């Protein structure tokens, strides 16, 4: 894998091929080979403010990053699943992002479609998580208004860290109780049945989760972006086309004014582009 951006982190190819004795700039040692998990983790580290490492006396604030893959023609999935658009390196980054997070926020439809399971402890990240004051694995936080979920699944009954179910206070009481009986922690993000996405990061921070990752789906990611709480987007662009009518990575009503994000990192391997965009500094968080 090689880093394309920012340019200050790698050197251009030699510019004087006729003078082999000249030192000339060289590619980064990491270019052209698979990166280690530690190198990927360093490249995708959360900002210090999400871990309480900002100005003295200031508590950590939640940082919500999204991670999605899209085909070259803009599809967020193929046949209802993201796996056909992915690759081994994309899945390694996917695993690293989970290993860096306090909580993984996901929509109920994605849980049903992708067959979500609890996050697992990974020995390769055990020391890093302990040093960061994190638990053994990320908690999974499922966002659902209807609570139309199978609470007998391992996601709810066998997690290493209790699964959170984020819903509205007026969601079906019987389904809320079923979630609790399965071992889930029910969190209310709204007085009605619907979830207010703007409240989710703050509520999760109240449970000790400030390094947040959402894996979609497109509808949930669109709601977070519309609410102004999506701090960062990690997007893999797959060199594959699908056509069809699959949703884009953000699905929902259009914004009145496009929201600006700035490119902070761009990696490449085998034609796949792995990008990171952060909310433009001039755009205030709601």
């Amino acid at each position: 894998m090689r880093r394309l951006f920012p340019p200050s982190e790698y050197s251009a190819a030699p510019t004087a091929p006729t003078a082999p004795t000249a030192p000339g700039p060289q590619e980064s040692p990491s270019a052209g080979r698979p990166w280690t998990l530690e190198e990927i983790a360093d490249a995708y580290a959360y900002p210090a403010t999400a871990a309480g490492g900002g100005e003295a006396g200031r508590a950590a604030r939640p940082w919500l990053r999204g991670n999605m893959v899209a085909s070259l023609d803009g599809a967020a999935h193929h046949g209802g699943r993201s796996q056909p658009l992915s690759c081994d390196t994309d899945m390694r980054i996917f695993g690293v992002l989970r290993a860096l997070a306090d909580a993984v926020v996901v929509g109920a439809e994605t849980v049903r479609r992708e067959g979500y399971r609890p996050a697992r402890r990974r020995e390769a990240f055990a020391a890093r998580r302990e040093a960061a004051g994190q638990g053994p694995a990320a908690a999974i936080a499922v966002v659902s208004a209807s609570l139309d979920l199978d609470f007998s699944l391992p996601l709810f009954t066998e997690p290493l860290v209790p699964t959170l179910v984020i819903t509205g206070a007026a969601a079906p009481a019987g389904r809320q109780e079923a979630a609790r009986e399965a071992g889930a922690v029910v969190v209310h993000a709204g007085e009605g049945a619907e979830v207010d996405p703007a409240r989710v990061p703050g509520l999760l921070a109240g449970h000790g989760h400030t390094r947040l990752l959402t894996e979609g789906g497109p509808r949930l990611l669109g709601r977070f972006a519309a609410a102004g709480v999506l701090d960062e987007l990690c997007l893999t662009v797959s060199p594959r086309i699908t056509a069809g009518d699959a949703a884009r990575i953000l699905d929902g009503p259009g914004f009145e004014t496009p929201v600006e994000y700035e490119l902070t990192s761009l990696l490449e391997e085998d034609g796949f582009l792995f990008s990171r965009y952060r909310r433009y500094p001039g755009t205030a968080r709601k």
Side-chain angles (χ1 to χ4, degrees):
M1 186 154 61
R2 59 194 178 117
R3 184 184 293 276
L4 303 181
F5 184 86
S8 60
E9 303 224 7
Y10 76 101
S11 298
T15 56
T18 58
T21 58
Q26 299 294 318
E27 277 283 351
S28 163
S30 62
R33 64 163 174 83
W35 285 20
T36 66
L37 293 177
E38 193 69 20
E39 287 174 318
I40 296 173
D42 288 343
Y44 283 89
Y46 278 85
T49 52
E55 297 178 17
R58 295 189 63 181
R61 82 160 180 84
W63 182 273
L64 178 62
R65 92 177 1 154
N67 181 38
M68 297 291 281
V69 61
S71 68
L72 206 56
D73 56 328
H77 59 79
H78 181 67
R81 301 197 63 196
S82 58
Q83 189 277 332
L85 304 179
S86 187
C87 65
D88 289 345
T89 300
D90 181 51
M91 293 309 298
R92 292 186 81 213
I93 292 174
F94 173 91
V96 169
L97 292 182
R98 279 195 161 200
L100 295 176
D102 296 331
V104 178
V105 190
V106 63
E109 179 59 29
T110 298
V111 167
R112 291 188 288 264
R113 188 177 64 238
E114 301 276 359
Y116 259 61
R117 297 186 63 83
R120 59 187 177 88
R121 181 183 186 275
R122 298 182 63 184
E123 188 60 37
F125 292 95
R128 190 180 188 115
R129 290 187 66 88
E130 183 177 1
Q134 296 175 292
I140 305 296
V142 183
V143 177
S144 176
S146 68
L147 300 183
D148 181 16
L149 296 159
D150 184 353
F151 293 118
S152 69
L153 293 175
L155 175 62
F156 302 101
T157 62
E158 302 175 12
L160 190 60
V161 179
T163 294
L164 296 97
V165 174
I166 303 175
T167 191
R175 299 303 295 159
Q176 292 192 51
E177 186 58 30
R180 294 188 183 98
E181 289 178 354
V185 176
V186 177
V187 178
H188 292 154
E191 286 70 37
E194 293 296 320
V195 172
D196 180 356
R199 297 189 186 186
V200 172
L203 287 169
L204 289 175
H207 284 263
H209 305 312
T210 54
R211 307 171 186 90
L212 306 178
L213 169 68
T214 180
E215 298 168 349
R219 187 178 297 111
L220 180 63
L221 190 63
R223 293 184 67 198
F224 280 137
V229 294
L230 183 64
D231 295 296
E232 178 181 342
L233 177 63
C234 299
L235 174 63
T236 296
V237 178
S238 171
R240 298 167 183 165
I241 59 174
T242 68
D245 57 359
R248 295 155 51 183
I249 63 165
L250 272 75
D251 189 13
F255 302 158
E256 182 176 346
T257 303
V259 179
E260 290 194 39
Y261 284 71
E262 62 175 350
L263 180 67
T264 61
S265 174
L266 182 62
L267 310 175
E268 185 274 338
E269 183 172 291
D270 296 332
F272 284 81
L273 296 176
F274 309 100
S275 63
R276 287 179 69 188
Y277 288 86
R278 293 187 183 184
R279 174 182 289 276
Y280 194 73
T283 306
R285 180 190 177 100
K286 291 185 180 179

